[in-house]
Amino acid sequence: MKKLFGLLLLTILLVACGGEDVSPAKGTSEPVKVGIRSSEVTTWNYIKERAAEQGIDIELVILSAQLDPNQLLAEGELDLNAFQHVAYLNLFNTSNNTNIEPIGTTIIAPIGLYSNKYDKIEDLKEGMKVAVPNDPSNWGRALLLLQEKGFIKVSEDFDGNGGADRIKENPYNLEILPVEAATLPRVMEDIDFAIINNGIALESGLYLTDALIHEDAAAKPFINVIATNAEDVDNETYQKIVDIYQDEETSAFIEKEFESNFLPVKLTLEELATWKDVYSY
């Protein structure tokens, strides 16, 4: 009976104080669950430590390739995820009728054009062989890199996916060869140039500084983002996490830790929303 009376008294006191919600904010007592891939662990351990200084408890959920961070986010198993670029997120939403939105940019892991035979981009001449990743997304990404540097022009209906039919103009008559992405470093002896994904290049001992050309922050479709469900985009705790990721201290950490192979990117969501404009240079 005494316990019941105490609970009733507490309730009366709370109401008398204006009926305000005094439950702890998310991020103080409840951890913010962030889904990431293993390649993001180093950066997010750093973010977790800095967030703790502001009273934000981050729980990192490291997901294997068999678990989809977007699906888990849509199902409410995660609060945030940080593993994908905006073009991939758009494709997922379209394919799965989900409403996941970016709330902040993080990095771009640029693809680059490499060669074992040539030292500068000016060496790329008419009729040379250029190997590209054969999966549609990265094939398209490779075509955009070549377009950005003036070597080809993609078709008007280009949607980010690659294919021989996506090339409208090829003034250099380049022989563009789709190859399994993981094998690209090994075929470099047999071709003139290869466009290789950042992670695969690093695993093969190739750094971004070795690339003759590479993507930069202008490649908006391939900028990675922190994402959440649409109903949570205004969550103040989540935005504080974005702010930590985007500040100068974190940028310096990323550049040092990854030897400038990952490029920190800070764009407003309004700027990011124009990412499809890149398809029509």
Side-chain angles (χ1 to χ4, degrees):
M1 180 64 72
K2 289 182 179 179
K3 289 183 179 179
L4 178 59
F5 176 79
L7 289 172
L8 289 172
L9 179 61
L10 177 61
T11 301
I12 292 169
L13 289 172
L14 289 175
V15 172
C17 291
E20 294 178 358
D21 181 5
V22 295
S23 60
K26 180 96 174 183
T28 53
S29 64
E30 297 180 41
V32 179
K33 294 182 179 181
V34 183
I36 59 173
R37 299 295 193 197
S38 58
S39 59
E40 306 285 345
V41 170
T42 300
T43 300
W44 275 95
N45 275 331
Y46 174 81
I47 299 296
K48 179 177 180 177
E49 290 179 6
R50 294 197 53 208
E53 296 171 1
Q54 298 187 28
I56 300 171
D57 180 13
I58 293 177
E59 178 183 336
L60 299 179
V61 183
I62 304 167
L63 301 168
S64 67
Q66 287 71 40
L67 294 172
D68 190 326
N70 279 332
Q71 194 63 47
L72 293 177
L73 179 59
E75 293 172 356
E77 297 297 320
L78 300 172
D79 300 306
L80 305 172
N81 67 35
F83 77 103
Q84 66 194 321
H85 53 61
V86 66
Y88 181 89
L89 173 57
N90 179 73
L91 179 62
F92 181 89
N93 279 331
T94 301
S95 302
N96 295 277
N97 197 31
T98 48
N99 197 11
I100 298 171
E101 295 187 17
I103 60 171
T105 58
T106 57
I107 61 166
I108 186 168
I111 62 170
L113 183 141
Y114 299 85
S115 177
N116 283 347
K117 299 178 180 180
Y118 303 101
D119 299 322
K120 55 186 184 298
I121 190 59
E122 289 77 15
D123 293 328
L124 197 158
K125 306 297 183 183
E126 183 170 354
M128 286 187 167
K129 295 180 179 180
V130 181
V132 300
N134 66 354
D135 61 285
S137 176
N138 286 306
W139 190 345
R141 196 171 176 177
L143 294 181
L144 282 179
L145 180 63
L146 292 173
Q147 175 174 261
E148 181 185 348
K149 303 305 179 182
F151 292 108
I152 65 166
K153 189 170 183 179
V154 300
S155 59
E156 285 84 355
D157 61 348
F158 184 76
D159 62 356
N161 292 311
D165 60 336
R166 303 305 175 93
I167 302 172
K168 178 183 178 182
E169 297 177 14
N170 186 1
Y172 284 74
N173 293 313
L174 299 177
E175 188 176 349
I176 298 175
L177 307 169
V179 175
E180 179 69 30
T183 67
L184 281 165
R186 297 198 295 272
V187 304
M188 287 176 65
E189 296 299 330
D190 302 318
I191 46 89
D192 298 300
F193 300 89
I195 295 179
I196 306 176
N197 294 78
N198 190 289
I200 293 171
L202 286 174
E203 290 172 1
S204 302
L206 296 170
Y207 291 87
L208 200 58
T209 51
D210 298 318
L212 305 185
I213 56 173
H214 62 74
E215 292 170 330
D216 56 26
K220 288 183 184 178
F222 313 115
I223 293 173
N224 285 13
V225 295
I226 299 171
T228 192
N229 290 304
E231 61 267 25
D232 295 323
V233 294
D234 295 323
N235 183 293
E236 292 183 4
T237 299
Y238 299 172
Q239 191 55 56
K240 288 179 181 178
I241 294 172
V242 170
D243 291 342
I244 293 169
Y245 201 114
Q246 292 183 343
D247 70 19
E248 292 183 3
E249 190 174 336
T250 299
S251 293
F253 173 84
I254 292 171
E255 290 169 355
K256 180 179 179 181
E257 186 70 25
F258 297 100
E259 302 182 43
S260 297
N261 288 290
F262 295 164
L263 307 180
V265 178
K266 183 179 180 180
L267 287 182
T268 66
L269 295 179
E270 290 76 15
E271 292 171 320
L272 185 65
T274 65
W275 61 272
K276 288 186 180 180
D277 293 351
V278 173
Y279 293 165
S280 56
Y281 272 127

